[in-house]
Amino acid sequence: MLQINHLSKTYEGGVQALTDVTFEVPRGQFLAVIGLSGSGKSTLLRCINRLIEPTSGQILWKGEDITAASPEEMRRIRRRIGMVFQHFNLVHRSRVITNVLAGRLGYVNPAWSLVNRFPRADMEKAMIQMERVGIADKANQRADALSGGQQQRVGIARALMQDPEIILADEPVASLDPVLAHSIMKHLEDINKNDGVTVLCSLHFLDLVHRYADRVVALNEGRVVFEGLPQEIDDAKFKDIYGREAERVG
Amino acid sequence: MEKEKSSPWKSILRGLAFGLVVITFAYGFEVTNINLGELQSQRRRESLTRVLRTLARPDILEYEQVTVVVNAPVYMPCPADGSVPDILEPDRSQPYLIVTPACVESGGAVLVEGFGFTPFVSGPLRFVPGSDPTNVVTLGRENLETDASGHFSVEMTLPANRDSDDVQFIRATARENVGSPYFSRSAHETWDKIVETVFMALLATAGGTILAFPISFMAARNLMKPVKSPLASIALSAIGWPLGIWFGLQLVQWLAGVSAPYINNLPVLVASVVGVPLVMVVALRWALPQVELQPAAAGLRFARLLVVFAVVLLLIFGLFELAGLMSILGARIAAGLGSWGFLGTLLFQGGDILRLIIPLLGSLAAGGAVASFLGRIGQRMAENLSTAVARAINLLLAAMAGATLFVLGGALLEWFYQWGRPELTVYWPAAIGGGLGLLAATLASPKAVLPIGMVIYYVTRTILNALRSVEALVMAIVFVISVGIGPFAGVLALGLHTIVSLGKLYSEQVESIMAGPLEAVQATGANRLQTIVYAVIPQIIPPFISYTMYRWDINVRMSTIIGFVGGGGIGFLLLQNINLLNYRAAATQMFAIAVVVAMMDYVSSVLRERYV
Ligand SMILES: Nc1ncnc2c1ncn2[C@@H]1O[C@H](COP(=O)(O)OP(=O)(O)O)[C@@H](O)[C@H]1O
Ligand SMILES: [Mg+2]
């Protein structure tokens, strides 16, 4: 169970990106976070693993207050929270296998990892994860030699290496064409349904929300304007979320 | 309306600005001694022509030379009675000279013709004053050049103030090259020095790059901004650094003593150089398990810490033994390998360098280890203690840290100025530092994290900027004074300059890396060092290589002139030859510099294109 309580974030420049955000995510749920761009989706997801420091509020996970964790504890928490990014965020010049193994950095002994030594078990695990997402044959290529869809799979494999209990996916398919989008979403669905990993995924398209999400949280200018099942989003709710001028397509 | 009102002011201001510019330039003309007349003067032009012509003939190849010297008598002035002096008929079986007329008024001109010389040779044609044909003093300088039949004729003006009733002489010296050419002495010297120059640049670039690397991280805003620590942790680290460095130095000295008895014992040296790494690997395997899901028990952790400590001691011991081995082997190789002896010298020098570096590395490592250990304790305290206790401890620690830093600063001042007044360099700094520490601890709330990263960032930047404004040549002067004339001073100066300028360039590259991968690696739970190794370094390698190459290019150029101030390399030779008016030798060195710089330019551009 992940609980977000009265979370607010004000950036240094004074932009209030989140205002009093409160919701819960039960274990194993596939939660979609929707909203216009600039509504605070990325900020919200990054507050959960504290890539961004929240200004106020609390994030409780398994009874532990993430917002109060010391740097040392934070590293331990982060290693169970995988993250997938809109722009994949791979290290371009590194090989695919290195990018995937980076997912183990929170577990391995830092001293050995600095000289690029990983335990044999981790190497095998990396092969298994790459096979799972279908990129095992690319292991030794440079990450930037891969297509967008393939890069996002590397991103997913990296997150899987963390043995995650939660995956935060920040618009994982926004940079991909629709066909690839479904294949990536299916991987996330598989991880959610078969491994029981809680998924928080911010999405742009409502059809993807309907197709994959168990529940939806909608943000508008940093506030939660809707929380419920995907099919509960009617035209009135839609206009709350996306603004008066928005037209519903499809 | 408004426009009209402001326009006279504007004109006046403009006029003033124009006047200022004129004055500035006029003053510039004045202080730079611009004198176009000098450029026009006949004398200047002649000497310029002469120098340029000499420079165009660098002294690279030499021949064995056969010199033929022929004297011919001449009278100056003509005998007073108007008679024509009788001149012996020259021996026509040898090269000979005919001087017409045989006598002239003082300062008159004669035509000197030579016959029977070797074709196409050249040499000086001079007047020999006095009546001794073997006199080594000669006056004037004309050049003779023989044609295909071994003949030359030169119009020659004799000096005006050398009148004599006796016969005087004109001497032709013809120099003939024989055999095949060989490299001249100045070519050899130039070669030696140009090699020295290139290696100075190489060492300075290598050393500077290695040190600029970590420094550039400290000068990168994006990496330092997130570095924040509670006051207790910062204060303890600040105390930890000097403490650790002192401790490390003691340890290294002790180990130097321990390893000293075996320094000439070859079997022990070999055994320890082979054995130490083996033992280290085994011990580290145990002490640093690759994965650990649950934190180990305290006892085990303590045991591991001890083992790691022992391994470090062993490592330092092993390094001392390695240095000893290098010296011994180096000396033997240098003695035994003849022309490959420089390899042995390299090894020998390597041993020396290693022995110099060990205390440095040891003390820095110990400083870092103690500081990070204490820092971590401080972090824990800030996390776990109650606010009141944390505040009390903060006050104490911050005062101690402030005092420590200021006393160290005072020690530096004392070292520079030798006031010998402890109240100025110890007591007052301690009091002020302690006071500032107390102030900081009172102002900062006890558990707040302070942006220590930004402090380090600004300090590093400031030092880099200050040092960057010091020219490498000026640094070289300082180093020449501190380590003596020679290439070592040059290497140190260039190295320091390299660190400073690369530190700046590198840090700009670090600041411009993509933030995405950094964020992604952090999100996996990687610590700071892991993030740097996995997300930062792969991104900065290409620009770093490119900058290093560029710097190596600059260093080659710089090292060619750093010898002007005694920093070794070819510059010293060049300066010497210029001062001795030995322009042909100087031309050789300029030529060598041009070739090396052009080659460097080419190589570095090719490499940059290929690898970046
Ligand atoms: N690093 C930052 N500094 C200042 N403002 C930011 C920063 N990142 C995002 N913002 C602002 O915060 C708001 C929410 O941004 P974001 O969380 O990226 O929204 P979304 O992901 O929904 O597009 C936007 O107004 C954005 O301009
Ligand atoms: Mg976003």
Side-chain angles (χ1 to χ4, degrees), chain A residues 11 15 17 36-43:
Chain A
Y11 280 110
V15 179
L36 289 170
S37 83
S39 59
K41 304 183 295 295
S42 302
T43 308

Side-chain angles (χ1 to χ4, degrees), chain A residues 37-38 40-43 46 86 170-171 202:
Chain A
S37 83
K41 304 183 295 295
S42 302
T43 308
R46 279 170 176 70
Q86 174 179 358
D170 187 13
E171 303 198 24
S202 65

Side-chain angles (χ1 to χ4, degrees), chain A:
Chain A
M1 172 82 94
L2 179 71
Q3 281 175 290
I4 318 273
N5 291 334
H6 307 292
L7 190 72
S8 295
K9 168 68 187 178
T10 311
Y11 280 110
E12 260 171 42
V15 179
Q16 174 114 24
L18 294 177
T19 312
D20 198 19
V21 172
T22 301
F23 64 92
E24 285 182 6
V25 193
R27 211 176 143 185
Q29 191 169 63
F30 196 122
L31 176 84
V33 181
I34 60 173
L36 289 170
S37 83
S39 59
K41 304 183 295 295
S42 302
T43 308
L44 171 62
L45 293 182
R46 279 170 176 70
C47 281
I48 293 173
N49 61 2
R50 275 183 55 196
L51 285 179
I52 291 176
E53 289 292 333
T55 314
S56 65
Q58 243 189 351
I59 300 169
L60 296 177
W61 184 37
K62 299 195 288 187
E64 195 173 5
D65 185 357
I66 292 184
T67 40
S70 71
E72 200 63 24
E73 288 163 347
M74 202 52 232
R75 290 189 50 213
R76 248 189 332 91
I77 295 171
R78 273 182 186 162
R79 67 186 192 190
R80 306 308 296 265
I81 304 182
M83 191 154 189
V84 178
F85 301 84
Q86 174 179 358
H87 299 293
F88 325 133
N89 289 2
L90 303 184
V91 182
H92 282 178
R93 294 180 53 86
S94 296
R95 291 181 304 156
V96 167
I97 177 89
T98 312
N99 272 288
V100 173
L101 280 169
R104 289 307 281 180
L105 288 176
Y107 289 92
V108 298
N109 189 315
W112 293 111
S113 73
L114 291 185
V115 289
N116 211 352
R117 304 277 309 155
F118 284 88
R120 183 180 302 271
D122 285 350
M123 304 290 285
E124 284 161 7
K125 195 184 182 75
M127 283 319 289
I128 292 170
Q129 304 299 0
M130 284 190 292
E131 260 159 36
R132 180 169 179 185
V133 295
I135 46 159
D137 54 327
K138 309 276 188 236
N140 284 314
Q141 294 194 10
R142 259 173 61 153
D144 55 1
L146 269 54
S147 71
Q150 290 168 334
Q151 290 198 24
Q152 192 58 297
R153 290 175 212 206
V154 178
I156 292 178
R158 174 173 63 193
L160 283 175
M161 288 299 284
Q162 293 176 239
D163 292 329
E165 290 172 46
I166 298 182
I167 286 189
L168 306 172
D170 187 13
E171 303 198 24
V173 296
S175 322
L176 302 174
D177 62 50
V179 181
L180 284 174
H182 276 290
S183 94
I184 294 296
M185 290 307 293
K186 279 192 184 123
H187 281 299
L188 288 178
E189 184 179 39
D190 170 49
I191 294 162
N192 172 249
K193 295 287 167 318
N194 296 329
D195 303 12
V197 176
T198 312
V199 174
L200 275 75
C201 180
S202 65
L203 285 172
H204 241 83
F205 292 108
L206 271 183
D207 59 334
L208 289 178
V209 176
H210 284 292
R211 166 81 177 70
Y212 296 101
D214 299 331
R215 219 172 105 242
V216 179
V217 166
L219 295 177
N220 190 337
E221 298 195 340
R223 289 173 199 277
V224 177
V225 290
F226 172 80
E227 194 188 338
L229 299 177
Q231 50 274 27
E232 288 171 7
I233 303 178
D234 53 25
D235 282 354
K237 298 261 164 50
F238 182 84
K239 289 212 186 292
D240 280 347
I241 300 168
Y242 290 107
R244 292 287 140 217
E245 301 83 44
E247 280 299 325
R248 197 162 181 166
V249 279

